[in-house]
């Protein structure tokens, strides 16, 4: 599978997207200095589900990247790196620590900088941290460069999706909601 990933990296230089599609489950990936891929796979807890809210507009990755600063404060980089190391372990725990997942999904590198590009994103990101947080909502995040918004939930997925959709609607943004399990298998390749 690593050879397939290496071949795909020639066309699409995002090992995080590719490795999840190839292996399924959760993946942590990167490209080594010699250009080959590095991947580790983890299984999501069976109690976690994804709610994906897809706004009815497109946001180019170039435009989303253009709003990011050229330099970051060391404290913000350390903040994110600590959480990146813990998040896969927290997501894969048999009995997930939802408070840890919520903390690990906080971000100082890209979400705040992109809030103005996705009307309603700020409010969706605040949902898990407010006093009226639905009990089964673990956390929310901007998916990649956006505009899709992800929620990690332990139940009431349709209700949480409708809440996020209504939040976007207050900003005159229509959207579609998908409740999805985390894939346990990746792409199947049949050689003829």
């Amino acid at each position: 599978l690593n050879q397939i990933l290496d071949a795909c990296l020639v066309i699409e230089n995002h090992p995080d997207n590719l490795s999840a599609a190839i292996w399924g489950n959760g993946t942590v990936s990167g490209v080594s200095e010699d250009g080959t891929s590095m991947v580790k796979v983890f299984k999501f807890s069976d109690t976690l589900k994804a709610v994906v809210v897809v706004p009815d507009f497109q946001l180019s990755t170039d435009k989303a990247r253009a709003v990011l600063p050229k330099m970051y404060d060391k404290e913000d980089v350390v903040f994110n790196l600590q959480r990146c190391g813990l998040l896969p372990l927290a997501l894969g725990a048999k009995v997930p620590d939802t408070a840890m997942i919520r903390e690990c999904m906080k971000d100082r590198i890209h979400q705040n900088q992109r809030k103005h590009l996705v009307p309603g994103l700020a409010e969706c990101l605040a949902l898990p941290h407010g006093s009226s947080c639905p009990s089964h909502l673990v956390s929310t995040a901007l998916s990649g460069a956006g505009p899709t918004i992800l929620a990690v939930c332990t139940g009431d997925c349709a209700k949480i999706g409708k809440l996020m959709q209504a939040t976007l609607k207050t900003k005159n943004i229509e959207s579609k909601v998908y409740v999805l399990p985390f894939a346990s298998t990746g792409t199947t390749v049949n050689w003829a």
Side-chain angles (χ1 to χ4, degrees):
L1 291 179
N2 278 76
Q3 289 175 329
I4 293 171
L5 177 57
D6 289 340
C8 292
L9 284 171
V10 174
I11 301 166
E12 164 72 43
N13 194 25
H14 294 279
D16 51 338
N17 297 336
L18 292 167
S19 61
I22 294 169
W23 275 268
N25 292 295
T27 60
V28 180
S29 60
V31 179
S32 68
E33 287 183 343
D34 69 6
T36 58
S37 58
M38 305 178 291
V39 179
K40 288 294 179 187
V41 179
F42 67 93
K43 185 179 181 326
F44 283 93
S45 169
D46 292 333
T47 63
L48 299 175
K49 301 289 181 259
V51 174
V52 180
V53 180
V54 183
D56 70 350
F57 67 92
Q58 293 186 3
L59 175 60
S60 77
T61 301
D62 289 339
K63 182 176 181 180
R65 285 183 180 157
V67 301
L68 299 177
K70 301 269 187 244
M71 306 270 298
Y72 289 94
D73 289 335
K74 179 172 47 174
E75 294 79 15
D76 292 339
V77 173
V78 169
F79 180 93
N80 270 51
L81 286 172
Q82 289 172 336
R83 282 149 185 79
C84 286
L86 288 169
L87 184 59
L89 299 173
L91 291 169
K94 188 172 185 164
V95 179
D97 180 340
T98 56
M100 180 180 283
I101 294 170
R102 186 174 298 119
E103 181 62 30
C104 287
M105 287 182 67
K106 290 179 180 176
D107 169 79
R108 293 185 184 171
I109 299 296
H110 80 111
Q111 292 183 149
N112 288 332
Q113 294 83 345
R114 292 174 168 158
K115 283 180 187 176
H116 68 282
L117 299 175
V118 183
L121 173 61
E123 292 80 359
C124 285
L125 292 176
L127 287 173
H129 308 285
S131 58
S132 61
C133 173
S135 62
H136 294 286
L137 175 58
V138 178
S139 194
T140 53
L142 182 63
S143 180
T148 299
I149 304 170
L150 165 73
V152 176
C153 308
T154 58
D156 288 335
C157 296
K159 178 181 170 185
I160 290 166
K162 286 180 182 177
L163 173 63
M164 293 172 67
Q165 189 174 43
T167 300
L168 294 182
K169 183 78 171 162
T170 66
K171 304 295 184 179
N172 298 314
I173 301 296
E174 297 294 329
S175 60
K176 291 187 174 123
V177 175
Y178 301 94
V179 176
L180 306 168
F182 289 102
S184 59
T185 58
T187 303
T188 301
V189 177
N190 294 314
W191 300 98

